[in-house]
Amino acid sequence: MLIEIDDKIVTDELFSRKFVCDLSKCKGACCVEGDAGAPLKNDEIKIIERLLPKIKPYMTEEGIAKVEKDGVSYLDDFGEPVTSLVEGGACAFVAFDPDGTTKCTIEQAYRDGEIDWKKPISCELYPIRAKEYESFTALNYEEIDICKPGCVLGESLNVPVYQFLKEPLTRAYGEEFYASLQQVHKELEKQNDSDK
């Protein structure tokens, strides 16, 4: 079911599906696997380019070499800008902990107070994928195998996808939009209770 909230169309899976990222199990595989880099907005490309000198100290040699040679982004098969990838498919802005867990170097620079921007919104919103059309934005839940541990943890804690992503949803679309999501969730729960 699709639900319209202002100029957003959201899938009911944001409420019915449960999710809490389980980094200890997946090791941040979403930053390494996939067909393309992380989706970027044009203004985000400019932000990354501006902040790059402060992000580079956190990056791997391969990541630095990639962005110096080809830039911070490229166009995917759909002509959309995405983060550059190093050989093997990892995002150019990924570093690895000793146990193999990925770390976003942009976010690490932010957490250390080196920069004032956290990371691309598409990364923060995952597993929600936002697709902008001329008159609306579609928000869909993307289910992939590498996120199964997050689904298991979300089910055990009973946390709907939209609740887990409260901070990025609010960052991207504002507090009023998030309050609307909460209202929709309440209405859906009432409906489910009355259907029983």
Side-chain angles (χ1 to χ4, degrees):
M1 180 170 67
L2 297 176
I3 299 152
E4 189 173 346
I5 303 172
D6 300 323
D7 63 345
K8 315 286 186 303
I9 307 277
V10 304
T11 173
D12 63 344
E13 287 186 305
L14 271 58
F15 311 99
S16 63
R17 302 299 296 268
K18 311 292 193 247
F19 186 86
V20 173
C21 189
D22 194 350
L23 198 58
S24 66
K25 297 261 174 53
C26 71
K27 307 287 189 192
C30 60
C31 301
V32 177
E33 297 182 23
D35 301 328
L40 291 171
K41 297 179 178 184
N42 288 324
D43 64 322
E44 291 178 323
I45 296 169
K46 291 176 184 155
I47 291 168
I48 295 170
E49 288 171 344
R50 177 173 56 82
L51 298 175
L52 194 56
K54 293 190 174 179
I55 300 168
K56 274 185 180 178
Y58 296 88
M59 294 172 66
T60 63
E61 287 179 20
E62 296 86 355
I64 293 169
K66 181 63 179 178
V67 298
E68 285 181 348
K69 180 175 180 266
D70 297 324
V72 301
S73 66
Y74 71 97
L75 297 180
D76 67 10
D77 293 341
F78 303 100
E80 302 286 338
V82 293
T83 56
S84 287
L85 301 178
V86 298
E87 199 173 323
C91 175
F93 297 99
V94 159
F96 298 90
D97 280 346
D99 70 353
T101 301
T102 64
K103 257 196 184 146
C104 174
T105 57
I106 300 171
E107 184 173 1
Q108 195 58 53
Y110 169 81
R111 289 185 186 281
D112 288 351
E114 296 295 324
I115 59 175
D116 60 0
W117 185 73
K118 192 172 181 182
K119 62 169 131 179
I121 195 65
S122 69
C123 301
E124 219 178 336
L125 281 172
Y126 202 74
I128 292 177
R129 280 288 188 219
K131 176 76 176 160
E132 293 182 12
Y133 295 92
E134 201 170 311
S135 59
F136 67 94
T137 300
L139 299 177
N140 289 298
Y141 169 72
E142 184 171 276
E143 184 175 4
I144 56 173
D145 283 347
I146 56 176
C147 286
K148 277 186 179 163
C151 298
V152 171
L153 184 57
E155 284 288 347
S156 70
L157 298 173
N158 194 30
V159 177
V161 172
Y162 89 96
Q163 282 181 1
F164 172 67
L165 296 170
K166 177 181 181 179
E167 187 182 319
L169 283 165
T170 304
R171 176 186 160 204
Y173 306 114
E175 290 180 11
E176 279 185 34
F177 175 72
Y178 190 80
S180 296
L181 290 176
Q182 290 176 304
Q183 189 57 42
V184 167
H185 187 213
K186 280 181 194 168
E187 289 169 15
L188 289 172
E189 284 188 319
K190 274 185 207 167
Q191 191 178 332
N192 287 340
D193 288 343
S194 66
D195 288 347
K196 287 176 183 173

